[in-house]
């Protein structure tokens, strides 16, 4: 077999070798139809396999993530879910069509529910629909991919990524996608090699694959020499990583002795298992979209999730961001459907201020968690100083209410993300307790290049002088106001961007937990006393 090499874009460094597991979109696809009895049996078997896979997935998750998926298990165990599909099969419909039609009706019912909680559950039903369809077509469930496999797909949702056990190795090769997408961020955080933007060629990827997330290529049926070289490289990569991990508890000082705080970003409950809290200087960003997507009205469940994070951080500062739904993080039933450009639409704090009843539930849960240690609340996508004032108004009202209840609470520090260019250039006007620069969005808005678009990914460059100038301006504004400033966007974990960020004055970086050791190692290599280009 002659090897073939397909080039894409690097999304997560490192090498992974393994068999291709194709994850095709199955909308509208059909199988050869059997007799009524065969179709009946096929659907029953697919539902049973999906149920077993979900049960297995739950066993591997912790906390609220397991609870969330528990809802899917309960549905799959309920015969009422399959009744309508089986009735259609009896009338001569193929199993996949009967199942899709029955689920479309169920999903529409949930989507039109008065109660927001049920509307949000529509996405669970869509997930169940797709899982069962995959089993009908004999494809692996996301939670059952063989260990060390390379997932090949057009694109991959963050939820699909989180359903895979990456502890056994494996990699990702995508036809579309972008290095700045959330799934790429998750892949970097867990050290899963990933190449995106392979173009239409992704559909032809099969057999044994080598994903090279550093050189941005995927090799099909690599020849023996390349396999041997890749094994050596994997060994070297592991050796350097092990060295960095051995020193991860030491502070990060540049060669000239400048201390840099290195914190972690937490994007889901499983992130807490990736690195020990004791290795970092706290949590610089906890993304609550992943923790609370289905729990918007549930103060207790949110409080439990935040309290778990506080316990994990063990006295170190924890920055929790209020819901940043919208853009590439839709929450069914909450975010607006059909916006012409969701990244420029109602997202983050804009949406929270439109839904004070939901925003206040989160502020209550956060203020209660603040009684457990140094908690900082961070607002996403702030554009105007008025939004900060309005949000503070809600916080004050929540604190007044809590004072009347008999629950323990404390006033958290209240800061903002700087990720909208207008806010970056006017940072001096924001009376926030701290700033954290979201370079993912700041870069996409400043360069007019979508963070998840493969075609324009070269434009979305954090090292563009215009973006760096904004970062330097925010650092100066923070110093003038006497407040802390950090970077929590992906650039903070990008060793090729770190020198420019530190030279712009940044002294605190918040990174995916899996990157913490390498980031500290990269900081130690740097000499800020030497002129640009020589360090
Ligand atoms: C950012 O925009 O840099 C950021 C950290 O927020 P998110 O990636 O969650 O939009
Ligand atoms: Mg952002």
């Amino acid at each position: 077999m002659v090897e073939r090499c397909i080039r894409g874009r690097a999304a997560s460094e490192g090498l992974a070798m393994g068999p291709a597991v194709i994850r095709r979109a199955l909308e509208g696809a059909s199988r050869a139809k059997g007799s009524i009895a065969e179709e009946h049996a096929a659907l029953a078997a697919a539902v049973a396999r999906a149920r077993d896979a979900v049960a297995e997935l739950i066993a591997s998750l912790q906390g609220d993530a397991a609870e969330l998926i528990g809802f899917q298990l309960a549905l799959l165990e309920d015969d009422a879910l399959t009744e309508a599909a089986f009735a259609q099969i009896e009338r001569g419909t193929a199993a996949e069509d009967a199942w899709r039609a029955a689920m479309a009706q169920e999903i529409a019912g949930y989507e039109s529910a008065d109660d927001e909680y049920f509307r949000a559950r529509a996405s669970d039903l869509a997930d169940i629909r797709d899982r069962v369809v995959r089993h009908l077509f004999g494809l692996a469930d996301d939670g059952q991919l063989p260990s060390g496999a390379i997932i090949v797909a057009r694109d991959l949702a963050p939820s699909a990524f989180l359903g895979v056990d990456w502890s056994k190795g494996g990699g990702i090769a995508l036809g579309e996608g972008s290095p700045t997408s959330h799934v790429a961020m998750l892949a970097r955080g867990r050290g899963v090699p990933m190449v995106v933007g392979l173009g239409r060629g992704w559909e032809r990827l099969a057999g044994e694959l080598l994903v090279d997330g550093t050189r941005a290529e995927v090799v099909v049926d690599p020849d023996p020499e390349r396999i041997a070289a890749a094994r050596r490289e994997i060994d070297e990569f592991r050796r350097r990583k092990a060295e960095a991990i051995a020193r991860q508890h030491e502070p990060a000082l540049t060669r000239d002795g400048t201390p840099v705080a290195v914190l972690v970003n937490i994007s889901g409950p499983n992130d807490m298992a990736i690195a020990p809290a004791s290795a970092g200087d706290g949590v610089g960003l906890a993304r609550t979209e992943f923790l609370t997507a289905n729990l918007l009205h549930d103060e207790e469940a949110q409080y439990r999730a935040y309290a778990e994070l506080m316990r994990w951080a063990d006295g170190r500062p924890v920055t929790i961001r209020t819901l940043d739904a919208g853009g590439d993080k839709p929450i069914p039933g909450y975010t607006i459907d059909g916006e012409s450009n969701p990244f420029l639409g109602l997202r983050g704090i804009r949406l929270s201020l439109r839904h004070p009843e939901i925003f206040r539930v989160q502020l209550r849960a956060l203020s209660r968690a603040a009684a457990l240690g140094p908690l900082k609340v961070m607002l996403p996508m702030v554009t105007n100083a008025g939004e900060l004032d309005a949000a503070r108004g809600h916080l004050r009202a929540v604190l007044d209410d809590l004072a009347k209840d008999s629950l323990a609470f404390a006033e958290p520090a209240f800061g903002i993300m700087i990720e909208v260019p207008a806010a970056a250039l006017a940072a001096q006007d924001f009376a926030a307790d701290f700033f954290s620069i979201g370079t993912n969005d700041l870069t996409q808005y400043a360069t007019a290049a979508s963070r998840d678009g493969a075609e324009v990914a070269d434009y979305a460059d954090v090292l563009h002088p215009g973006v760096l100038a904004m970062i330097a301006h925010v650092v100066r504004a923070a110093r003038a106001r006497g407040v802390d400033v950090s970077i929590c966007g992906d650039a903070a974990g990008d060793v090729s961007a770190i020198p420019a960020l530190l030279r712009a004055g940044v002294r605190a970086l918040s990174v995916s937990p899996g990157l913490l050791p390498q980031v500290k190692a990269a900081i130690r290599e740097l000499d800020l006393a030497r002129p640009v280009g020589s360090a």
Side-chain angles (χ1 to χ4, degrees):
M1 196 87 66
V2 182
E3 70 168 33
R4 268 186 309 131
C5 184
I6 303 180
R7 289 199 61 76
R9 296 188 53 79
S12 176
E13 68 168 347
L15 287 168
M17 273 189 287
V21 172
I22 315 283
R23 196 176 181 278
R24 275 185 221 293
L26 292 169
E27 306 106 53
S30 47
R31 316 152 27 253
K33 195 174 119 199
S35 66
I36 288 180
E38 283 165 346
E39 292 301 288
H40 198 286
L43 181 58
V47 170
R49 279 198 293 273
R51 192 187 53 220
D52 293 348
V54 170
E56 212 173 286
L57 179 57
I58 289 174
S60 70
L61 295 171
Q62 310 154 354
D64 287 331
E67 266 174 50
L68 290 178
I69 301 191
F71 175 75
Q72 294 196 9
L73 185 61
L75 282 172
L76 282 164
E77 282 172 341
D78 185 350
D79 290 344
L81 186 75
T82 42
E83 251 168 40
F86 284 132
Q88 282 219 33
I89 289 175
E90 294 304 323
R91 292 195 288 275
T93 309
E96 65 275 21
D97 294 337
W99 172 249
R100 285 192 189 111
M103 289 302 284
Q105 217 163 8
E106 282 285 330
I107 291 169
Y110 272 72
E111 277 172 345
S112 59
D114 286 338
D115 188 325
E116 174 133 7
Y117 174 83
F118 284 105
R119 288 205 300 275
R121 293 300 196 187
S123 63
D124 282 301
L125 282 159
D127 205 5
I128 290 175
R129 176 197 60 206
D130 295 344
R131 279 179 191 278
V132 171
V133 169
R134 297 183 66 69
H135 283 292
L136 266 173
F137 281 78
L139 297 168
D141 190 282
D142 291 332
Q144 290 185 323
L145 290 164
S147 60
I150 307 296
I151 299 188
V152 177
R154 182 190 307 284
D155 206 349
L156 199 65
S159 62
F161 177 94
L162 290 168
V164 176
D165 177 5
W166 295 104
S167 65
K168 302 183 180 100
I172 302 172
L174 300 183
E176 297 178 359
S178 153
T180 44
S181 65
H182 274 104
V183 72
M185 227 178 262
L186 290 168
R188 286 193 287 276
R190 284 171 177 66
V192 179
M194 174 172 175
V195 177
V196 299
L198 291 162
R200 295 185 65 82
W202 77 269
E203 292 176 39
R204 294 193 303 280
L205 293 177
E208 200 62 19
L209 300 184
L210 168 65
V211 171
D212 188 333
T214 311
R215 295 182 193 86
E217 59 189 27
V218 175
V219 183
V220 186
D221 293 321
D223 60 35
E225 265 167 49
R226 192 185 293 260
I227 291 175
R231 291 222 167 97
R232 282 195 300 277
E233 208 175 308
I234 289 173
D235 287 346
E236 172 59 15
F237 187 75
R238 288 200 183 127
R239 190 191 60 73
R240 272 190 284 121
K241 199 165 169 182
E243 243 173 51
I245 289 174
R247 296 191 62 193
Q248 68 178 347
H249 282 88
E250 296 173 27
L253 293 177
T254 59
R255 280 173 191 264
D256 55 300
T258 308
V260 179
V262 184
L263 302 94
V264 292
N265 289 352
I266 299 291
S267 300
N270 293 341
D271 278 4
M272 286 179 259
I274 295 175
S278 52
D281 296 300
V283 176
L285 163 66
R287 290 185 167 92
T288 56
E289 311 67 81
F290 297 109
L291 290 171
T292 61
N294 287 326
L295 304 169
L296 304 186
H297 289 286
D298 193 336
E299 179 183 323
E300 283 309 313
Q302 289 193 33
Y303 171 71
R304 281 200 303 275
Y306 307 148
E308 189 187 342
L309 196 51
M310 300 297 288
R311 271 194 298 277
W312 178 78
D314 197 19
R316 295 171 189 84
V318 173
T319 307
I320 301 183
R321 183 173 73 183
T322 60
L323 203 63
D324 183 26
D328 60 341
K329 293 165 278 190
I331 295 184
Y334 178 63
T335 44
I336 314 277
D337 282 339
E339 282 184 300
S340 62
N341 189 339
F343 275 121
L344 301 181
L346 274 183
R347 59 170 291 207
I349 190 66
R350 300 172 183 183
L351 208 46
S352 291
L353 292 175
R354 290 281 180 106
H355 293 278
E357 71 293 354
I358 289 175
F359 189 40
R360 286 191 182 196
V361 169
Q362 186 164 34
L363 291 176
R364 267 182 75 93
L366 287 166
S367 302
R368 287 174 55 197
L372 305 172
L375 187 144
K376 299 159 91 172
V377 170
M378 179 156 77
L379 308 174
M381 281 293 293
V382 172
T383 310
N384 307 312
E387 290 169 319
L388 175 58
D389 296 341
R392 259 196 211 283
H394 288 297
L395 178 67
R396 252 179 248 119
V398 159
L399 295 172
D400 286 348
D401 281 348
L402 282 168
K404 290 179 209 137
D405 300 342
S406 53
L407 297 165
F409 72 96
E411 180 170 353
F414 213 55
I416 60 170
M417 295 220 28
I418 300 278
E419 50 187 345
V420 175
L425 293 172
Q428 63 282 358
D429 297 341
F430 289 86
D433 296 339
F434 62 91
F435 296 151
S436 186
I437 305 173
T439 43
N440 305 333
D441 279 313
L442 184 65
T443 306
Q444 82 160 340
Y445 295 133
T447 60
S450 162
R451 62 189 276 175
D452 56 4
E455 295 299 331
V456 292
D458 281 343
Y459 285 97
D461 181 8
V462 71
L463 299 179
H464 187 294
V467 180
L468 288 175
M470 282 192 220
I471 293 171
H473 177 78
V474 176
V475 171
R476 283 192 300 272
R479 285 203 190 124
R481 292 200 71 97
V483 299
D484 287 342
V485 59
S486 59
I487 290 190
C488 62
D490 246 27
D494 177 353
V495 294
S496 66
I498 288 173
L501 300 179
L502 297 192
R503 288 187 189 283
V506 175
R507 294 292 178 266
L509 301 171
S510 189
V511 306
S512 293
L515 298 177
L516 184 133
Q518 291 105 295
V519 166
K520 283 192 166 182
I523 292 167
R524 292 188 191 111
E525 290 292 304
L526 205 65
D527 189 345
L528 293 175
R530 296 178 71 172
V532 183
S534 58

